[in-house]
Amino acid sequence: EVLPYHAAEPLKVVVCGGTGAGKSTLLNALLGCSTPILPTSCMRACTAAVIELAWPDADCSGPYEARVSLVSREEWREALLAACAAAVSAGPGKTPQVGEHRGAADWSRVTSCYGASASITAEALAAPGATEALVASLMERAADKGLGSRVLLS
């Protein structure tokens, strides 16, 4: 059954799927732009946050505008601490698993952002004070990338 479309109401589409499933690639293809709007990578997660895309207006004559808000310092610190706790909980040589280790989703998110250089492993966090030192180092790296910034592109 085809539902009626009311032009006065914006059409909303939700695209869900696991990391690397091709959600951004699909949206870029549907938008038909010669230069992709959303970043994609065959190596690791690029859009590890909820995003919203909106068309400027019905006749497409208005300017494009994007508002990007990165997570706050407090939110990212909490995610880093949860990721570290998940790594310790998983144990040496193991990867935290969602549904099995509390904070595993944060571990996935953080390692997607930093890559293997984050060293969020039970082995790296075994020494006293290692978690605090690693979190401080990763927070500094995040600040260099604009953590807590708000950007308006138009």
Side-chain angles (χ1 to χ4, degrees):
E1 176 184 354
V2 177
L3 299 175
Y5 174 68
H6 302 286
E9 300 173 18
L11 176 64
K12 293 184 181 182
V13 177
V14 177
V15 180
C16 300
T19 302
K23 299 174 296 296
S24 295
T25 301
L26 171 66
L27 290 172
N28 282 331
L30 290 173
L31 293 170
C33 299
S34 58
T35 302
I37 292 174
L38 298 170
T40 60
S41 171
C42 62
M43 301 304 286
R44 61 184 183 148
C46 287
T47 47
V50 175
I51 60 167
E52 179 180 348
L53 295 175
W55 209 255
D57 59 26
D59 66 1
C60 301
S61 63
Y64 288 98
E65 182 176 283
R67 295 174 198 269
V68 179
S69 296
L70 302 177
V71 296
S72 70
R73 291 187 58 78
E74 297 77 27
E75 289 171 320
W76 195 243
R77 180 172 172 70
E78 288 175 21
L80 289 170
L81 290 169
C84 290
V88 170
S89 174
K94 297 188 179 172
T95 300
Q97 301 297 313
V98 174
E100 189 175 327
H101 302 102
R102 181 180 211 138
D106 287 310
W107 184 88
S108 294
R109 182 175 164 203
V110 167
T111 55
S112 290
C113 178
Y114 294 103
S117 68
S119 298
I120 303 177
T121 64
E123 296 87 348
L125 300 168
T131 296
E132 294 77 14
L134 179 61
V135 168
S137 170
L138 295 176
M139 287 294 292
E140 188 174 306
R141 285 172 58 189
D144 292 343
K145 293 181 183 264
L147 178 71
S149 301
R150 283 194 157 76
V151 180
L152 173 64
L153 306 170
S154 56

